[in-house]
């Protein structure tokens, strides 16, 4: 395992003068993008959900005001420093006919890389699917009424090979661990399918999941704000709907 450092990227950037440097908008990626931007006396466009190149100009789209609006922006200086939300692009099928030149850069280091030495990488013992990598997420909020009721979401999640997420209300109540929290102060996710159960759709929750490709909301309140971002909405009691949904999926898999 190698740790990519600020100083290595700066050295490489100063050597090859790229037009754009892309980072993943993870906690570490955003941290690195910001410090590399400062090191190159330019700004970083963080947490973008799209990037296009047209007529030699780079344009990005990024959520602002906790996801309430999306802005289109262009970098004013080169290199453009851009961090992109994980999973915003579908992975392409590798084309073996194509090749790309790979250049090995011998960049001068500043000595700080000696301060940390990775001795061993141990895989997590749990089989839990990481929220930010999951293709499908089944998430529960205060409407779940208690930690014991997440069992029905876990059952649904296991049928769909999905991860289980939660709103902050559920995490603050101690029903789920903080690592499961989706939203402004939790994780930003971009799955193919996000199933929100008993989640009202507060702006801080939407900030973490509104770029999901398909959102299904189950809520007994027809005026819940989650329905404004949902592609499919079911108005009703989740304790009736989730088991019916799980049974239907089970049947379709047999
Ligand atoms: C600075 C700051 C940061 C924050 N960060 C986050 C964050 O990262 N993530 C986050 O999620 N929140 C965050 N919040 C909190 C956020 O504002 C909301 O309070 C929270 O998201 C509400 O969670 P909820 O939707 O589970 O609960 P509620 O808003 O209470 O909604 C519960 C929903 O469940 C529905 N319901 C109840 N019973 C049933 C049933 N039987 N069947 C179907 N539906 C039912 C209700 O109709 C309701 O819509 C933050 C707040 C602040 C101020």
């Amino acid at each position: 395992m190698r740790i990519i450092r600020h100083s290595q990227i700066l050295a490489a950037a100063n050597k090859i003068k790229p037009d754009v440097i892309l980072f993943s908008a993870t906690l570490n990626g955003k941290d690195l993008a910001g410090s590399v931007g400062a090191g190159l006396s330019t700004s970083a466009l963080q947490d973008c959900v799209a990037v296009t190149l047209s007529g030699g100009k780079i344009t990005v789209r990024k959520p602002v005001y906790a996801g309430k609006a999306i802005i289109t922006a262009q970098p004013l200086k080169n290199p453009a420093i851009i961090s992109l939300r994980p999973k915003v692009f579908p992975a392409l099928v590798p084309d073996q006919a194509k090749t790309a030149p790979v250049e090995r850069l011998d960049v001068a280091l500043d000595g700080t890389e000696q301060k940390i030495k990775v001795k061993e990488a141990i895989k997590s013992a749990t089989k839990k699917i990481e929220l930010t990598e999951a293709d499908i997420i089944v998430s529960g909020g205060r409407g779940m009424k208690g930690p014991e009721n997440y069992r029905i979401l876990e059952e649904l999640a296991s049928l769909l090979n999905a991860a289980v997420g939660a709103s902050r209300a559920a995490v603050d109540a101690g029903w789920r661990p903080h690592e499961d929290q989706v939203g402004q102060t939790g994780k930003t996710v971009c799955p193919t399918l996000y199933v929100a159960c008993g989640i009202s759709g507060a702006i801080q929750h939407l900030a973490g999941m509104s770029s999901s490709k398909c959102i299904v909301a189950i809520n007994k309140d027809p005026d819940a704000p989650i329905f404004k971002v949902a592609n499919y909405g079911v108005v009703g009691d989740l304790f009736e709907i989730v088991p019916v949904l799980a049974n239907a999926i089970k049947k379709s898999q047999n």
Side-chain angles (χ1 to χ4, degrees), residues 142 145 167-168 181-182 184-185 200 204-205 219 238:
R142 206 191 316 260
K145 313 238 186 286
S167 71
R168 178 161 158 181
Q181 185 180 316
V182 173
Q184 190 183 326
T185 44
S200 60
Q204 296 89 354
H205 188 79
N219 198 304
L238 72 91

Side-chain angles (χ1 to χ4, degrees), residues 31-92:
D31 202 29
L32 202 51
S35 70
V36 167
L40 295 172
S41 302
T42 186
S43 51
L45 286 160
Q46 299 274 24
D47 205 24
C48 300
V49 292
V51 58
T52 50
L53 178 67
S54 172
K57 280 206 180 298
I58 292 165
T59 305
V60 300
R61 280 165 59 75
K62 66 176 250 101
V64 289
Y65 302 124
K68 206 159 188 149
I70 303 257
I71 58 159
T72 301
Q74 285 180 331
L76 297 174
K77 276 172 87 176
N78 274 8
I81 313 280
I82 298 168
S83 72
L84 281 159
R85 276 192 190 176
K87 292 173 81 67
V88 285
F89 297 113
L92 297 176

Side-chain angles (χ1 to χ4, degrees), residues 3 11 22 36 40 65 70 90 92 126 141 146-148 171 219 226 233 247:
I3 295 180
L22 296 173
V36 167
L40 295 172
Y65 302 124
I70 303 257
L92 297 176
T126 65
E148 65 286 357
V171 171
N219 198 304
I226 191 79
N247 267 336

